[in-house]
Amino acid sequence: MTTAVLPFAYEFRFFAPDLTHELGTLTQHGVANVPVDTNESYLVSRLTIDASVKIRAGRIEIKELTERTGVLEGWARAVAAELPVSGEFFMTEAAVRLGAHLDVEKERMLSEQDILQIASSYHGLTLAAVAKRRTIFDLDQCRGEFTSITLGEHQADSIAIDGREAAAVLGKINTLGFHERLNESYPCYLQRLVFYPEAAEP
């Protein structure tokens, strides 16, 4: 397994205010890469958690949930594009997957600020500006990820295990002792956090 982005992966992810102990477990079982800091703008939908749309480093990146296998979710990378993108691209590739039916001029070229403004004006969408410090771990056939997250005043940790083969991911979750955790994707977590903050952990 490498740190390269996979076009499809089975994923198991969980969040908590502090996952320092679990980070120690990852460190014991895997080989850590150099931490990377990013700033990412997620378009969070009130209507669905089956798509992930975010902007980072001048690109819009879209993933969609394509299957569930037991406790695992299968996420496919649908499309990614350099900004600006056309209004037609944004409507058909991003907005529709988020359950939002927007009326944007097809030929209009949209910058990051244009997209964020359009999203913030639609009642079913909101924005989440997330700062991350992410460390990737090589775990044999799987990949591990530890991320420290900052969203406004909210801070949390996330750990994910993913890979091409469901059996390998399930085996690694059991080995690491993470099998009793709730699998929760970024779209699900951010929806809960920004739309239903009373349901988020303290």
Side-chain angles (χ1 to χ4, degrees), residues 35-36 39 43-44 47 60 69 74 77 81 83-85 87 103 105 129 138 141 147 149 152 154 157 166 176:
V36 175
N39 292 293
L43 277 61
V44 184
L47 306 172
I60 184 168
T69 300
R77 296 188 176 269
L83 295 171
V85 295
D103 185 14
E105 294 179 19
D138 293 322
Q141 300 178 60
T147 307
I149 301 162
H154 179 82
D157 293 337
L176 296 170

Side-chain angles (χ1 to χ4, degrees), residues 122-141:
Y122 183 77
H123 71 277
L125 299 178
T126 192
L127 304 173
V130 181
K132 299 180 181 178
R133 167 158 283 195
R134 177 172 34 234
T135 304
I136 300 297
F137 291 80
D138 293 322
L139 298 170
D140 302 321
Q141 300 178 60

Side-chain angles (χ1 to χ4, degrees), residues 50-116:
D50 291 347
S52 172
V53 178
K54 67 181 177 182
I55 296 173
R56 66 173 172 182
R59 289 168 57 85
I60 184 168
E61 302 175 5
I62 303 169
K63 296 197 308 181
E64 56 186 347
L65 180 64
T66 58
E67 67 176 276
R68 289 183 171 88
T69 300
V71 298
L72 304 181
E73 293 184 339
W75 285 87
R77 296 188 176 269
V79 66
E82 299 289 336
L83 295 171
V85 295
S86 69
E88 181 175 19
F89 175 95
F90 178 69
M91 287 189 295
T92 59
E93 298 290 351
V96 168
R97 285 188 168 95
L98 293 172
H101 298 279
L102 304 177
D103 185 14
V104 181
E105 294 179 19
K106 293 183 178 181
E107 294 79 18
R108 179 185 173 189
M109 298 305 293
L110 303 177
S111 66
E112 176 175 350
Q113 289 305 313
D114 293 330
I115 291 173
L116 299 183

Side-chain angles (χ1 to χ4, degrees), residues 170-202:
L170 288 170
K172 190 60 65 175
I173 292 167
N174 288 327
T175 298
L176 296 170
F178 298 158
H179 55 282
E180 294 185 355
R181 295 281 185 165
L182 172 68
N183 186 10
E184 188 174 31
S185 66
Y186 266 110
C188 182
Y189 179 74
L190 292 174
Q191 183 193 75
R192 181 165 62 87
L193 187 63
V194 300
F195 285 115
Y196 312 105
E198 67 280 359
E201 76 276 353

Side-chain angles (χ1 to χ4, degrees), residues 146-162:
F146 175 82
T147 307
S148 296
I149 301 162
T150 302
L151 172 57
E153 296 182 355
H154 179 82
Q155 293 185 327
D157 293 337
S158 170
I159 284 179
I161 308 297
D162 66 26

